[in-house]
Amino acid sequence: MNTRKTDTVWAEPYKIKMVELLKVTTLEDRKRAIKGAGYNTFLLKSEDVYIDLLTDSGVGAMSDRQWAGMMMGDEAYAGSANFYHMEKTIQDYYSYKHIVPTHQGRGAENILSQILVKDGDYVPGNMYFTTTRLHQELAGGTFIDVIIDEAHDPASQHPFKGNIDFAKLDKLVADVGVEKIPYVCVATCVNMAGGQPISMANLKELRVWCDKHKIRIVHDMTRVAENAYFIQQREEGYSDKSIAEIVYQLCELTDAATMSSKKDAMVNTGGFLAMNDESFYEKACNLVVVYEGLHTYGGMAGRDMEALAIGITESVQDAHMHARVGQVEYLGNKLRARGVTIVEPIGGHAVFLDARAILPHIPQEQYPAQALAAALYVDAGIRVMERGVVSAGRNSETGENHMPKLELVRLTLPRRVYTQAHMDVVVESVCRVVEQAASIKGLNFTYEPEYLRFFRGRFEEV
Ligand code: PM9
């Protein structure tokens, strides 16, 4: 089945074979749970959650084919048959020649940064991602944001908010020189911008720019298929191309990639570093055995590599992606129609609430998005995630808080997991919380971890 711009119906191209029962909690239970979790939704127990929209990472529903593949796991220490199947699938669908498996995306980021980033380097990218930037910094680099300004404006309707601003790249070259720029990091469907795509035209222009300056392009391809869907729907000249063709073209324009397969590719764990360059591959093989495992498993079980190979083929099906993004749009459109301020346009993996607009009485120093995420959990047991000043962390040199323009709460949809009725429950709960927004209080840290503080930080009400 093929889907094109004109199709408005996005019914799921699958039926449900097994279900997982949910626990319903009381308001008192939830108040107790969020206080015990220090107002951090990452510290809640999953059994206390009704609808879990914390993340789309590792929480998708695998297909019967993927589960069948799990039974074909070849758990040999070296040379597992599943590795070769996965390697061939990545080469065929994503174009990269060499593949180094890792336990998840940040494993690939660690190896990449250790090989390519030197002390004093600058790594430009289309907006930061938490783990990606940290690995660049730990390797001695400094992240430089070169995304277009529209990406920092939640109300902007720009169809490709993930685009690179070449004036910002040129300025960086003029300021520090090309020798201090090991690569440009390009994410497809930029997570922290609200799941916003980069256009093919912008990536082609980047290819020309990077060839001119002899700088590599490293692709964070965690949500490449969602990006391809938006290109098919929005960009001139792509409406007749399949998602699979667009995904391949996007990857072909880049030199290397890091992948967290827990998202697009619908497996519970896994990732990889991929590249075309032989000597880079040799260095990555040297490091993967230190940090992850042998180069033919890199921290993944054989069965997980098999499920990943199958998941990649399912992730690029047009009907799958139409239903996937269709469900996110269903939720976003309903919230917008009820007057809730969300990031525009609606993204690929999540609907993002604009916490600044919803809680104007809470200053950014009191973590409005963190407070809104906690309040949403208390209302109906729906778990979401802060994506604002807490996630942004501190400047590694000055120790000052990064103060991002985007102060957001992310309602992230796991793939193939929840129904339209669940989305309706979410809409009702968000609207209730927004109506009572004036009663939500700001937060202060009571414990702030050194790295990636949003995962384990604890708070109290102001
Ligand atoms: N993303 C997410 O929920 C899970 C961890 S942060 C809460 O959005 C990108 C664009 C990601 C990403 C993870 C990683 C790291 C890299 N790039 O989590 O290590 O969205 O597999 O991947 C999360 P791993």
Side-chain angles (χ1 to χ4, degrees):
M1 183 171 105
N2 225 344
T3 50
R4 289 293 179 261
K5 274 182 193 165
T6 43
D7 299 333
T8 49
V9 178
W10 53 268
E12 293 83 354
Y14 52 83
K15 57 184 178 174
I16 297 166
K17 192 177 284 196
M18 195 170 87
V19 297
E20 181 179 333
L21 300 184
L22 299 175
K23 182 173 136 187
V24 177
T25 50
T26 66
L27 184 63
E28 284 316 307
D29 291 337
R30 296 193 293 272
K31 280 185 180 164
R32 212 176 311 114
I34 198 71
K35 212 167 166 198
Y39 297 88
N40 185 347
T41 52
F42 278 99
L43 300 179
L44 290 166
K45 287 187 177 156
S46 142
E47 62 177 15
D48 293 333
V49 173
Y50 174 40
I51 298 177
D52 205 346
L53 307 186
L54 182 71
T55 179
D56 60 333
S57 183
V59 291
M62 289 208 292
S63 67
D64 50 359
R65 286 163 213 214
Q66 285 178 292
W67 280 109
M70 297 283 278
M71 297 305 293
M72 302 296 284
D74 170 4
E75 307 303 343
Y77 188 88
S80 160
N82 311 118
F83 168 73
Y84 296 108
H85 182 202
M86 181 184 82
E87 181 187 48
K88 170 101 175 48
T89 309
I90 294 170
Q91 289 164 343
D92 289 351
Y93 282 79
Y94 297 150
S95 84
Y96 302 109
K97 283 191 197 138
H98 306 295
I99 289 85
V100 180
T102 57
H103 74 283
Q104 60 183 85
R106 67 200 75 179
E109 290 169 346
N110 174 32
I111 293 172
L112 168 81
S113 304
Q114 288 206 35
I115 295 171
L116 294 187
V117 181
K118 293 187 306 300
D119 210 18
D121 278 352
Y122 293 85
V123 186
N126 54 349
M127 204 171 266
Y128 85 101
F129 184 72
T130 53
T131 58
T132 320
R133 186 182 63 193
L134 180 60
H135 280 296
Q136 292 162 359
E137 288 174 355
L138 290 172
T142 302
F143 168 79
I144 303 289
D145 189 11
V146 294
I147 203 165
I148 56 172
D149 287 344
E150 286 87 341
H152 293 280
D153 172 6
S156 163
Q157 294 285 349
H158 195 294
F160 292 104
K161 279 173 144 180
N163 281 357
I164 299 258
D165 181 336
F166 288 93
K168 293 181 185 172
L169 270 183
D170 286 336
K171 182 171 180 313
L172 181 65
V173 170
D175 289 350
V176 306
V178 283
E179 59 291 342
K180 291 245 175 248
I181 306 174
Y183 59 92
V184 179
C185 178
V186 174
T188 32
C189 245
V190 182
N191 190 354
M192 302 302 280
Q196 304 293 332
I198 180 172
S199 71
M200 189 71 86
N202 190 261
L203 189 57
K204 282 186 180 168
E205 204 179 332
L206 181 67
R207 181 70 271 168
V208 173
W209 189 93
C210 283
D211 286 347
K212 183 174 134 205
H213 293 287
K214 299 200 169 38
I215 296 175
R216 279 195 177 97
I217 303 178
V218 178
H219 178 196
D220 180 341
M221 58 175 299
T222 296
R223 297 182 181 85
V224 66
E226 287 166 7
N227 199 113
Y229 175 79
F230 286 124
I231 288 177
Q232 186 193 59
Q233 301 296 307
R234 295 177 187 168
E235 193 164 350
E236 190 75 44
Y238 291 91
S239 60
D240 288 332
K241 300 261 181 284
S242 68
I243 306 258
E245 285 171 299
I246 301 170
V247 164
Y248 193 89
Q249 274 191 40
L250 284 167
C251 295
E252 243 191 336
L253 286 166
T254 69
D255 301 294
T258 54
M259 173 64 152
S260 167
S261 344
K262 303 167 73 168
K263 283 84 164 171
D264 249 10
M266 293 175 288
V267 288
N268 299 127
T269 195
F272 57 82
L273 176 61
M275 68 287 282
N276 296 325
D277 183 286
E278 286 285 343
S279 70
F280 181 13
Y281 174 57
E282 173 55 26
K283 287 179 187 157
C285 287
N286 266 329
L287 281 187
V288 79
V289 295
V290 179
Y291 293 105
E292 304 280 327
L294 193 71
H295 63 291
T296 54
Y297 77 85
M300 290 177 74
R303 55 183 173 272
D304 289 325
M305 291 192 280
E306 190 61 27
L308 172 53
I310 298 165
I312 290 170
T313 66
E314 292 178 1
S315 74
V316 299
Q317 298 304 315
D318 285 27
H320 160 70
M321 201 45 73
H322 192 47
R324 158 71 176 154
V325 182
Q327 190 179 43
V328 179
E329 288 176 342
Y330 175 84
L331 175 62
N333 284 330
K334 283 216 151 185
L335 287 170
R336 188 197 295 118
R338 298 277 292 269
V340 178
T341 317
I342 58 172
V343 172
E344 302 284 352
I346 297 164
H349 65 304
V351 176
F352 290 70
L353 308 181
D354 184 353
R356 279 179 196 272
I358 296 169
L359 303 177
H361 60 289
I362 303 184
Q364 199 172 19
E365 293 73 19
Q366 292 179 10
Y367 314 114
Q370 186 78 25
L372 184 57
L376 263 163
Y377 169 72
V378 172
D379 181 73
I382 295 161
R383 169 156 71 170
V384 296
M385 186 195 292
E386 190 265 10
R387 294 275 79 162
V389 61
V390 179
S391 295
R394 292 178 183 274
N395 181 304
S396 59
E397 271 162 30
T398 66
E400 292 296 311
N401 274 321
H402 288 292
M403 287 298 204
K405 290 199 179 122
L406 298 176
E407 182 65 27
L408 309 175
V409 166
R410 191 181 74 176
L411 280 54
T412 338
L413 298 203
R415 293 164 185 81
R416 310 192 288 207
V417 170
Y418 290 112
T419 66
Q420 203 157 321
H422 286 119
M423 295 304 108
D424 293 341
V425 173
V426 174
V427 172
E428 292 309 318
S429 177
V430 172
C431 291
R432 253 191 324 269
V433 172
V434 170
E435 271 165 30
Q436 298 155 17
S439 67
I440 298 174
K441 296 194 180 88
L443 300 171
N444 281 328
F445 265 106
T446 58
Y447 167 63
E448 184 181 342
E450 186 180 355
Y451 296 131
L452 303 172
R453 62 184 184 177
F454 58 95
F455 280 131
R456 296 186 307 115
R458 299 184 73 84
F459 301 82
E460 64 186 5
E461 284 186 332
V462 170

